[in-house]
Amino acid sequence: MESQGSDVRRIWLMAMLRLAAWLGVAAVVGAIFGAITLALLIALSIYTAGHLLYAYQLHRWLARPRTQPRDGFGVWQEIYTELYRLKQRNRRRKKRLKSIVAEFQASTAALPDGAVVIDDRGRIVWFNTAAAALLALRAGQDNGQRIVNLLRHPRFAQFLADAGGTGAQLEVPSPVNDTDTLVLRVVPYGNGQRLLIARDISEQKRLESTRRDFVANASHELRTPLTVLRGYLEMMTEEAAEDGDLVRWQKPIHEMDAQSARMARIIDSLLRLARLESEGLAQAQETIDMAALVRRGVAELESGAGHEHVFVVEVDDTLGLFGRPGEIESVISNLLFNAVRYTPSGGQVTARWSADRGGAVFEVIDDGPGIAAEHLPRLTERFYRVDAGRSAADGGTGLGLAIVKHSLEHHEAELSVDSQLGQGSVFRCVFPSQRLVSRDVA
Ligand code: ADP
């Protein structure tokens, strides 16, 4: 850079020296003929005309870049050379950019996911081949069209307006074939532009449904033989108690009875989960008296044998919930039952139903052993137990919290768990405002 700068300085210095020499010669010639002013005027005119000619050539070349630039003289030669170099550099850069764009287009065209670029007014700017196939977009014809006019799913417009980098996704039936399912995601970028990504998840959905059906069918098939076994075991338990010869079988028969009862609970829970998975959002038709349900759940546990806990109930009677009473009841009883099961006798269990930040929250708080942080994210997985032996001995199935999670999802609610080892646990179900109704309590 430094040397280029000094080159430029040198060239212009030379140009000025040349001008001085030219004027000097003119002045001498003028002096000889006794007309210095006229000679200087003529010399300056020739000098200006020369520059005008080169400036004209430059202008012509800039206007029609395909023509070859003429060789200049003095500073013009340098200016021409610099411009020519600049042009060559730009040409190379353009070529490189073109090949990057071509590569980008080829790679996005090969993507299995549909990608649509949408401008700040919701119009389609560009889309790849997969988007054309998945969303039934027509190349050329649909560019510039508003995407909401082409993707007419009732929840899509709202989703597009809301999805501001939240990572939210929307499942919609495919506009090409409504037995297929697409998942849509929106990534905002630049000046109000958004990238809509569409992925075909039909195969995944079909696998999920096959798995669900298999579990439901297997559970259903196991139910009948188990009922028969349990019937005989019940009979044998009674006979063993009365018949002296059978007394040595009393213990194993009792154990078999307990284990078969546990199997029946697991099968019932699996069937319930399969049902929950295949059902959609609970439509808001029934108003549930949450306060009464919570009180009833606690009362059932209080009257149950074997546990000596201190129960605290704090419920807001004016706060009702829209939803399916059976599912909400199972949420309440599962969480209360767990708190009682895992908290040693004498511990305290609090059930609370209250308004919270626009929505409402149902909490079950215990002062039991608590749960270590590494287990918390996995608690709602099927059959996940912190201590499998302990859970089985207490009659647990490992499915309770999975049922809670699914039931809550049907009510647009979320389960969160706060717990630390030795500090007790808080299971919190957060319901959104649209699920709530205020009840009159006269
Ligand atoms: P389970 O039938 O084994 O109780 P759940 O799905 O209801 O299955 O619970 C999963 C696991 O979460 C339990 O095995 C237990 O380890 C843990 N857990 C649930 N509730 C509590 C609680 N209140 N205190 C401590 N651990 C709990």
Side-chain angles (χ1 to χ4, degrees):
M1 278 321 262
E2 189 53 43
S3 77
Q4 268 183 1
S6 66
D7 271 1
V8 170
R9 259 200 307 276
R10 190 177 50 77
I11 289 160
W12 283 89
L13 198 67
M14 287 291 293
M16 277 192 281
L17 284 177
R18 263 200 303 275
L19 175 60
W22 174 245
L23 291 180
V25 169
V28 171
V29 172
I32 293 170
F33 291 100
I36 295 182
T37 318
L38 183 65
L40 283 175
L41 202 66
I42 293 171
L44 275 174
S45 300
I46 294 172
Y47 185 81
T48 313
H51 278 286
L52 272 178
L53 181 70
Y54 286 130
Y56 162 72
Q57 275 186 13
L58 175 65
H59 193 176
R60 211 178 53 166
W61 178 58
L62 287 175
R64 281 191 294 145
R66 292 207 170 274
T67 56
Q68 195 66 25
R70 295 265 174 80
D71 280 343
F73 174 77
V75 287
W76 289 101
Q77 191 177 16
E78 299 302 324
I79 291 173
Y80 284 173
T81 316
E82 283 298 323
L83 277 173
Y84 189 68
R85 241 184 256 151
L86 206 67
K87 226 175 115 190
Q88 293 290 89
R89 223 180 299 146
N90 273 347
R91 197 174 290 161
R92 277 199 298 272
R93 197 174 298 158
K94 216 159 134 189
K95 225 166 145 185
R96 213 174 45 234
L97 281 177
K98 250 188 186 162
S99 84
I100 291 174
V101 170
E103 226 166 81
F104 170 76
Q105 285 191 334
S107 57
T108 47
L111 272 182
D113 291 350
V116 185
V117 174
I118 303 166
D119 70 10
D120 54 342
R121 291 163 71 184
R123 290 173 311 198
I124 297 176
V125 177
W126 173 89
F127 54 87
N128 68 353
T129 333
L134 289 173
L135 303 171
L137 299 179
R138 292 153 304 176
Q141 232 165 318
D142 288 338
N143 289 79
Q145 297 281 340
R146 282 167 55 81
I147 183 87
V148 286
N149 292 341
L150 300 171
L151 274 183
R152 295 196 144 276
H153 188 271
R155 281 168 55 210
F156 177 66
Q158 195 56 43
F159 170 71
L160 193 65
D162 290 348
T166 50
Q169 48 187 49
L170 176 70
E171 273 184 31
V172 293
S174 151
V176 183
N177 175 0
D178 56 6
T179 57
D180 287 351
T181 312
L182 301 181
V183 61
L184 304 178
R185 212 172 276 142
V186 173
V187 189
Y189 73 96
N191 258 352
Q193 287 191 309
R194 282 155 295 174
L195 178 68
L196 172 74
I197 299 166
R199 171 172 291 179
D200 186 352
I201 54 161
S202 323
E203 196 51 35
Q204 193 182 323
K205 282 262 153 196
R206 273 190 277 276
L207 279 175
E208 261 172 40
S209 126
T210 312
R211 176 191 58 81
R212 227 175 17 236
D213 289 351
F214 171 76
V215 174
N217 291 340
S219 311
H220 197 76
E221 290 297 324
L222 286 171
R223 215 182 197 176
T224 319
L226 191 63
T227 312
V228 176
L229 278 178
R230 293 198 65 204
Y232 281 121
L233 280 168
E234 210 170 296
M235 239 166 63
M236 285 161 83
T237 315
E238 279 165 24
E239 276 184 30
E242 288 160 12
D243 191 331
D245 288 345
L246 285 176
V247 82
R248 65 200 170 97
W249 291 107
Q250 219 170 8
K251 203 166 164 254
I253 290 172
H254 186 75
E255 181 62 18
M256 283 193 277
D257 192 39
Q259 290 299 337
S260 63
R262 187 160 161 260
M263 273 169 80
R265 271 200 308 279
I266 293 177
I267 287 173
D268 282 348
S269 295
L270 281 173
L271 279 171
R272 182 181 289 194
L273 259 177
R275 239 191 337 268
L276 281 173
E277 276 186 320
S278 58
E279 278 168 359
L281 278 186
Q283 293 310 318
Q285 293 138 342
E286 253 181 279
T287 308
I288 303 168
D289 180 354
M290 276 295 278
L293 266 194
V294 175
R295 281 201 194 94
R296 193 172 347 132
V298 171
E300 267 168 29
L301 286 173
E302 269 178 322
S303 62
H307 294 292
E308 306 241 324
H309 292 89
V310 179
F311 288 98
V312 178
V313 180
E314 294 168 5
V315 286
D316 182 343
D317 282 283
T318 64
L319 209 55
L321 178 76
F322 281 132
R324 294 195 187 116
E327 290 184 15
I328 294 300
E329 200 173 346
S330 85
V331 169
I332 296 173
S333 63
N334 267 308
L335 293 181
L336 283 173
F337 189 54
N338 276 353
V340 166
R341 225 154 25 109
Y342 294 104
T343 305
S345 282
Q348 179 169 308
V349 174
T350 304
R352 187 179 292 149
W353 168 245
S354 54
D356 178 71
R357 275 175 266 157
V361 59
F362 169 63
E363 285 168 301
V364 176
I365 307 159
D366 67 53
D367 56 5
I371 306 162
E374 74 256 30
H375 298 295
L376 294 180
R378 302 195 56 193
L379 286 186
T380 55
E381 283 175 24
R382 273 146 228 246
F383 297 115
Y384 188 84
R385 283 163 289 198
V386 175
D387 178 348
R390 157 103 204 264
S391 156
D394 281 354
T397 58
L399 294 168
L401 291 180
I403 291 177
V404 167
K405 183 183 156 208
H406 277 283
S407 306
L408 288 178
E409 272 172 10
H410 285 177
H411 294 80
E412 297 152 277
E414 271 182 22
L415 176 71
S416 69
V417 188
D418 269 351
S419 188
Q420 266 178 20
L421 271 185
Q423 306 274 310
S425 311
V426 181
F427 285 78
R428 190 174 289 122
C429 314
V430 184
F431 292 87
S433 56
Q434 70 265 26
R435 284 278 166 187
L436 302 174
V437 60
S438 54
R439 300 177 61 254
D440 268 344
V441 272

